[in-house]
């Protein structure tokens, strides 16, 4: 009996929150119950449109998989990305419950590190930098406690890899009216602790 003719989904096909990134790929999987031989099954390569994570999904499981939220960023086709979810975890033997946004897809980016460090030094008394920030009244505005809002401001106001966030007035907190993106040298020149004049002159020249 001739093998069933099959066709891969065209690259670029959108399936819920996923996009097909290439032709289906045959992989060996364990046989069904009572069978010992491995069998070939075809997997469709997909990319989540929200977090860009790539996964391979078996063709016979495709319909169910694309109807469920992404297991990495919690986003789904019928889910508002601004909604929050309650996450439960065990930390140091204690059960913790906290709310988080479903996705933003930038947890490993430099911009997210800038945002995390900014909030850490302003709100965590255990931070080494807290005395120079939160300890003297420097705060982060409520709007920027949402990373998506901070990222939107950053991308629209000159953010680029290698730049640092800088407060124009060192006695005020982090907010859109008091922040800008600068080089490390410019950031150094705006510190509240003035440099000795010879060093100051050498850095400018």
């Amino acid at each position: 009996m001739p093998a069933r003719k099959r066709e891969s989904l065209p690259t670029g096909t959108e399936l819920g929150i996923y996009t097909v990134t290439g032709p289906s790929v045959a992989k060996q999987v364990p046989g069904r119950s009572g069978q010992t031989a491995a069998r070939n099954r075809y997997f469709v390569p997909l990319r989540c449109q929200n977090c860009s994570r790539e996964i391979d999904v078996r063709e016979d499981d495709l319909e169910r998989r694309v109807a469920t939220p992404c297991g990495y960023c919690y986003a789904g086709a019928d889910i508002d990305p601004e909604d929050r979810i309650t996450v439960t975890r065990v930390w140091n033997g204690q059960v913790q419950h906290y709310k988080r946004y479903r996705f933003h897809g930038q947890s490993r980016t430099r911009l997210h590190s800038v945002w995390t460090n900014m909030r850490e030094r302003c709100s965590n008394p255990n931070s080494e930098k807290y005395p120079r920030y939160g300890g003297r009244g420097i705060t982060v505005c409520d709007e920027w406690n949402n990373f998506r809002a901070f990222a939107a401001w950053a991308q629209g106001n000159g953010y680029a890899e290698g730049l640092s966030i800088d407060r124009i007035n060192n006695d005020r907190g982090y907010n859109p009216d008091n922040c800008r993106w600068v080089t490390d040298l410019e950031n150094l020149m705006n510190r509240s602790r003035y440099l000795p004049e010879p060093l100051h002159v050498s850095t400018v020249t």
Side-chain angles (χ1 to χ4, degrees):
M1 183 175 179
R4 174 177 65 89
K5 184 178 180 180
R6 52 176 311 285
E7 295 181 359
S8 298
L9 290 171
T11 299
T13 299
E14 294 188 359
L15 302 172
I17 61 168
Y18 298 98
T19 301
V20 178
T21 60
S24 298
V25 178
K27 296 182 180 180
Q28 284 195 338
V29 298
R32 296 178 180 176
S33 178
Q35 297 176 341
T36 57
R39 313 182 76 182
N40 280 343
R41 288 291 182 267
Y42 284 88
F43 288 75
V44 183
L46 302 177
R47 177 186 295 117
C48 176
Q49 298 170 1
N50 298 307
C51 66
S52 298
R53 188 178 189 185
E54 296 187 356
I55 58 174
D56 293 333
V57 178
R58 270 178 57 163
E59 287 184 338
D60 55 1
D61 192 42
L62 194 59
E63 184 175 352
R64 180 198 67 81
R65 187 69 176 84
V66 300
T68 59
C70 172
Y72 184 72
C73 67
Y74 305 100
D78 58 347
I79 296 176
D80 183 350
E82 293 295 342
D83 285 349
R84 291 193 177 197
I85 60 173
T86 299
V87 178
T88 301
R89 69 174 183 177
V90 177
W91 183 259
N92 289 335
Q94 296 182 345
V95 178
Q96 298 179 344
H97 304 278
Y98 62 96
K99 292 186 179 295
R100 57 160 288 179
Y101 284 98
R102 290 187 179 275
F103 70 88
H104 51 65
Q106 301 187 55
S107 295
R108 294 175 175 81
T109 63
R110 183 178 181 278
L111 182 59
H112 190 265
S113 295
V114 170
W115 177 75
T116 300
N117 293 335
M118 173 184 69
R119 297 173 72 236
E120 177 81 3
R121 59 181 174 259
C122 290
S123 60
N124 183 4
N126 295 323
S127 170
E128 180 181 347
K129 297 182 178 180
Y130 181 81
R132 293 188 285 117
Y133 291 88
R136 67 183 189 92
I138 303 301
T139 60
V140 177
C141 67
D142 291 340
E143 178 186 356
W144 282 2
N145 283 322
N146 179 345
F147 173 73
R148 290 164 60 83
F150 174 75
W153 171 84
Q155 299 297 346
N157 287 272
Y159 172 74
E161 291 292 329
L163 297 182
S164 302
I165 191 167
D166 176 60
R167 286 171 294 118
I168 300 171
N169 184 336
N170 277 322
D171 294 324
R172 295 176 54 199
Y174 289 94
N175 61 71
D177 295 329
N178 192 45
C179 290
R180 60 187 175 182
W181 296 101
V182 298
T183 64
D184 289 341
L185 177 59
E186 290 172 322
N187 197 5
L188 177 67
M189 301 305 300
N190 195 40
R191 287 184 178 178
S192 57
R193 181 176 60 191
Y194 292 100
L195 295 171
E197 185 173 355
L199 178 58
H200 174 85
V201 173
S202 65
T203 54
V204 173
T205 57

